Amino acid sequence: MLAPLLLWAVLLQWACGRSWQHCTELRPLDVLAELLPGSGAARGVRVLQAQGLSGLQLRASRPRALAFPASRLFLHCDRFPEEFSIIVTLRVLAVPTKRNEYIFTLMAEESPGVLVGLRYSPSKLHFLFWSPERSGGWQNRVTFRNVSLADSRWHTLVLAVSGQSFSLSVDCGLPKDVVVETPFPPSLSVKRASFYLGNRRRRKGFFTGLLRQLVLLPGADATPRICTAVNYKATALSIPAVLQDVPVKAVSNEVLKYPHGANMKVTLGSRPPCTKQEKAQFWFNASRRGLYLCDGSAWISMLEVKQRLDYVEEYQDLVTNSETMGVEVFTIPRVGLFAATANRHSPPGSAIYKWTDGKFVLYQNIPTYQAQSWKYFTIGKKIFLAVANFEQNDRGQEFSVIYKWSHRKEKFVTYQRITTHSARDWEAFVIEGEAFLAVVNHREGNNHNIDSVIYRWNPSTGLFETNQTIPTSGAYDWEFFAIGPYSFLAVANTFNGTSTNIYSHIYIWLSGSFQLFQSILTFGAADWEVFHIGDRVFLAVANSHSYDSRIPAPSNFYAINSSIYELNITAQMFVKFQDLLTYSALDWEFFSVGDDSFLVVANSFDGFTFSINSIIYRWQGYEGFVAAHHLPTVGCRDWEAFNTTEGSYLLYSSAKEPLSKVLKLKTT
């Protein structure tokens, strides 16, 4: 009798050990692949490509068709892992307020409860799990707040679960950690349970985006495996063959087999990433009709039909907090495209908008005091945005403020306050590896002849400190530029207390400071714009008005030539190249479309009305700049040109109404 008992004990120990081993195996379990047959086709599923990556679009007509038994994943064990990671790569479209969409659920056939699930709302991600230990069982929810996925971009999520600890990493950013009272159950049964993709067995809350990766990794935090890659958004532990970069070759159909030497991949759609992983791959840009080759870091043009500007159309009315004195468009890597508006009134202050689904939408409000302009710049990995405040704050203090981008909060936070005097403009630049920031002080009280200041970044203190002061007269603008080894800084002097017909100055960096290089007579100068066409260097001044208290007033202060100067290397100075009639011009913006070069002027007032055309001038070589497009504007103050994957745009700000406009450049 003893021998059979010993044999039974040994077999039981072997069986238990074998079952435990299989419950804790660490291979990635590809949830998406189980939904797709080997051919890659499945009912209720479509393969779409966006931003260079392929994903699955699920159809809501039959949610149960997007399901499979959990036993197909858990081959040797009917328990869900106690510790695990869930890796998801997805692209989410805009989600209406108060709407939740399910990425996946695991549900028992006889119960409406969710054993394990993942869903999101416009600003939250929820992890759901069932606690069988409680009387009758209980649905638990772990919520991660301030998670913004609905921006039509690809994102990779890593959710790590261990007992009472839940950690979420989005695009390899800083993890969000949550500790809850109820731990994830150590032995959650998945008998007679099924996985449901993009739903919870009904149409309500159906997933409307694209899924590229959905992997369960038992027993490990997958973050280190995901976040070591260069292009982490495209990193995969396991991706179905139908979504992989190399197409699946046909087996039985000889017609579909690849001919010798033709195994080349060409990506369509918007600009995909170009890293070492994509080296030697091609990208065809249908909108620009161009073929590009990835060299491991950048897309090199192989064949391109050059675009030509055909016409300009109104694209978006951007309602602003109040009249807008200036606008700055910039891109934060891995975050997106933004526009900061410098608004007149406080409150509500100024605003930052983010480019979302092809439009600018409000992202952040910042208190400012008759803000005049913004300047975006970086120092190493630090990202800054400086505002020029024209008025005192509520405490009678006159500061302009430098804000720093917080990666954790995903917004700009106050970094350094600097005393200024009716500041009009900031300019950031780097000389010989050192970072500088120059402010234009317009006036102090009624005195327009004051110093403007250049600050140098101190790496030890992490602050800007005064480096040099330069006398200016009612100045409006700084413009920094470099020509070969030489660095220059031009100031637009506007008014000296009696006249706008005064000299603006160009300074050159010599022996550790800026020294006078050239003086140019200007008329209420409001802006300098430097640009290059081929090897030629130009400098355009926007003259706003001609006024001198000592001489009789002209018939029209505001109808006045603005001038374009060209650098003459032999004479070592800028010489006048062309005059253009403008109407209280406040800004120039240079941009290119294909091989063509353009200048757009901000005409603000003709002496009678603020509703006046601003003009785009086209470079015509020997003829100089010739008027090409007349754009209706109201009190136009500033222009910004920018590009997205969808095309090229102009944004103008109005100093006379709380409405700015985005214009789209239509090309042929």
Side-chain angles (χ1 to χ4, degrees), residues 68-71 78 106-111 115 189-196 201:
F68 63 88
S71 58
D78 58 8
L106 175 63
M107 303 179 67
E109 291 304 320
E110 68 279 2
S111 171
L115 298 178
S189 174
V190 295
K191 283 184 179 179
R192 295 186 298 278
S194 294
F195 281 94
Y196 292 84
R201 213 157 55 197

Side-chain angles (χ1 to χ4, degrees), residues 17-240:
R18 187 169 182 264
S19 176
W20 176 259
Q21 178 185 3
H22 288 170
C23 277
T24 57
E25 59 184 347
L26 302 182
R27 67 180 180 89
L29 305 177
D30 191 336
V31 180
L32 284 187
E34 291 299 325
L35 186 68
L36 303 171
S39 64
R43 289 187 302 168
V45 174
R46 242 171 70 180
V47 177
L48 296 179
Q49 189 177 77
Q51 297 172 327
L53 296 178
S54 296
L56 296 181
Q57 183 187 59
L58 310 177
R59 298 178 183 175
S61 56
R62 297 181 60 190
R64 288 180 179 269
L66 301 172
F68 63 88
S71 58
R72 279 165 46 181
L73 276 184
F74 303 106
L75 301 177
H76 308 288
C77 181
D78 58 8
R79 288 179 293 163
F80 202 89
E82 181 179 358
E83 296 184 344
F84 58 91
S85 288
I86 296 173
I87 303 95
V88 185
T89 300
L90 77 175
R91 181 176 183 263
V92 178
L93 305 177
V95 181
T97 307
K98 298 183 180 180
R99 177 183 170 91
N100 286 272
E101 293 190 359
Y102 287 86
I103 298 171
F104 82 94
T105 57
L106 175 63
M107 303 179 67
E109 291 304 320
E110 68 279 2
S111 171
V114 176
L115 298 178
V116 179
L118 201 59
R119 76 183 188 205
Y120 62 87
S121 59
S123 62
K124 299 174 185 176
L125 186 79
H126 307 284
F127 176 66
L128 311 175
F129 66 93
W130 190 262
S131 292
E133 286 78 7
R134 299 200 176 192
S135 176
W138 192 263
Q139 189 81 70
N140 292 273
R141 182 178 67 189
V142 180
T143 298
F144 296 91
R145 303 181 185 278
N146 300 319
V147 178
S148 299
L149 302 176
D151 56 4
S152 298
R153 297 178 181 274
W154 288 104
H155 296 286
T156 294
L157 317 179
V158 180
L159 173 65
V161 177
S162 177
Q164 297 172 277
S165 300
F166 300 79
S167 179
L168 175 69
S169 176
V170 180
D171 295 334
C172 295
L174 292 175
K176 298 176 181 288
D177 298 317
V178 176
V179 178
V180 298
E181 180 181 351
T182 305
F184 189 85
S187 57
L188 181 63
S189 174
V190 295
K191 283 184 179 179
R192 295 186 298 278
S194 294
F195 281 94
Y196 292 84
L197 272 295
N199 69 91
R200 59 166 300 172
R201 213 157 55 197
R202 58 189 183 188
R203 294 184 183 181
K204 184 179 179 181
F206 196 86
F207 179 74
T208 58
L210 297 180
L211 272 176
R212 177 173 172 82
Q213 177 176 213
L214 179 55
V215 177
L216 172 65
L217 181 64
D221 181 356
T223 307
R225 295 177 65 170
I226 292 291
C227 296
T228 54
V230 176
N231 183 16
Y232 54 83
K233 292 186 183 180
T235 300
L237 290 183
S238 182
I239 284 185

Side-chain angles (χ1 to χ4, degrees), residues 415 457-463 465:
Y415 185 79
W457 173 259
N458 186 331
S460 300
T461 63
L463 297 172
E465 300 172 356

Side-chain angles (χ1 to χ4, degrees), residues 383-492:
I383 296 172
F384 297 97
L385 192 62
V387 65
N389 284 322
F390 194 78
E391 289 186 339
Q392 299 176 348
N393 61 20
D394 299 333
R395 299 180 180 179
Q397 302 166 319
E398 193 169 353
F399 293 115
S400 291
V401 184
I402 303 169
Y403 297 87
K404 181 175 179 288
W405 176 257
S406 168
H407 292 279
R408 182 175 63 85
K409 297 181 178 180
E410 294 188 324
K411 67 177 183 178
F412 285 96
V413 296
T414 302
Y415 185 79
Q416 184 179 356
R417 293 181 175 88
I418 294 179
T419 300
T420 54
H421 303 287
S422 298
R424 288 282 190 184
D425 182 59
W426 286 104
E427 179 76 318
F429 49 92
V430 175
I431 299 177
E432 299 171 353
E434 291 193 284
F436 295 85
L437 191 62
V439 67
V440 165
N441 288 321
H442 182 68
R443 59 177 170 80
E444 187 173 2
N446 292 323
N447 182 18
H448 291 79
N449 300 302
I450 60 173
D451 287 339
S452 292
V453 185
I454 300 169
Y455 300 87
R456 186 196 302 258
W457 173 259
N458 186 331
S460 300
T461 63
L463 297 172
F464 283 98
E465 300 172 356
T466 300
N467 182 73
Q468 183 181 356
T469 60
I470 294 180
T472 54
S473 298
Y476 254 69
D477 180 64
W478 283 117
E479 178 79 349
F480 174 83
F481 56 97
I483 302 173
Y486 299 103
S487 298
F488 298 86
L489 191 62
V491 64

Side-chain angles (χ1 to χ4, degrees), residues 199-420:
N199 69 91
R200 59 166 300 172
R201 213 157 55 197
R202 58 189 183 188
R203 294 184 183 181
K204 184 179 179 181
F206 196 86
F207 179 74
T208 58
L210 297 180
L211 272 176
R212 177 173 172 82
Q213 177 176 213
L214 179 55
V215 177
L216 172 65
L217 181 64
D221 181 356
T223 307
R225 295 177 65 170
I226 292 291
C227 296
T228 54
V230 176
N231 183 16
Y232 54 83
K233 292 186 183 180
T235 300
L237 290 183
S238 182
I239 284 185
V242 71
L243 300 181
Q244 293 177 9
D245 291 334
V246 179
V248 179
K249 295 184 180 181
V251 176
S252 58
N253 192 337
E254 294 293 330
V255 176
L256 297 180
K257 286 190 175 181
Y258 286 77
H260 177 72
N263 193 8
M264 178 184 76
K265 178 180 182 297
V266 179
T267 300
L268 303 177
S270 57
R271 180 186 294 268
C274 175
T275 67
K276 291 181 180 179
Q277 294 177 335
E278 291 82 25
K279 189 173 182 179
Q281 293 185 9
F282 287 89
W283 164 51
F284 181 71
N285 186 336
S287 63
R288 296 182 180 271
R289 291 176 286 175
L291 183 66
Y292 301 85
L293 174 68
C294 176
D295 68 355
S297 61
W299 290 104
I300 307 300
S301 176
M302 304 296 292
L303 178 66
E304 184 176 13
V305 176
K306 297 299 183 181
Q307 290 183 306
R308 291 184 61 84
L309 179 60
D310 190 11
Y311 63 96
V312 181
E313 68 175 8
E314 289 193 7
Y315 181 79
Q316 180 188 3
D317 288 337
L318 183 62
V319 178
T320 54
N321 290 342
S322 59
E323 300 91 332
T324 303
M325 310 306 293
V327 63
E328 177 87 337
V329 176
F330 55 94
T331 299
I332 299 178
R334 297 183 179 179
V335 180
L337 177 74
F338 295 84
T341 58
N343 298 115
R344 182 189 299 275
H345 295 307
S346 179
S350 298
I352 299 173
Y353 301 83
K354 186 178 182 182
W355 188 260
T356 306
D357 294 333
K359 300 286 176 108
F360 281 116
V361 297
L362 182 63
Y363 185 82
Q364 181 182 356
N365 281 309
I366 293 181
T368 55
Y369 301 89
Q370 199 169 324
Q372 300 293 300
S373 64
W374 289 98
K375 186 63 182 180
Y376 171 85
F377 61 98
T378 61
I379 299 177
K381 295 183 179 180
K382 298 181 178 67
I383 296 172
F384 297 97
L385 192 62
V387 65
N389 284 322
F390 194 78
E391 289 186 339
Q392 299 176 348
N393 61 20
D394 299 333
R395 299 180 180 179
Q397 302 166 319
E398 193 169 353
F399 293 115
S400 291
V401 184
I402 303 169
Y403 297 87
K404 181 175 179 288
W405 176 257
S406 168
H407 292 279
R408 182 175 63 85
K409 297 181 178 180
E410 294 188 324
K411 67 177 183 178
F412 285 96
V413 296
T414 302
Y415 185 79
Q416 184 179 356
R417 293 181 175 88
I418 294 179
T419 300
T420 54

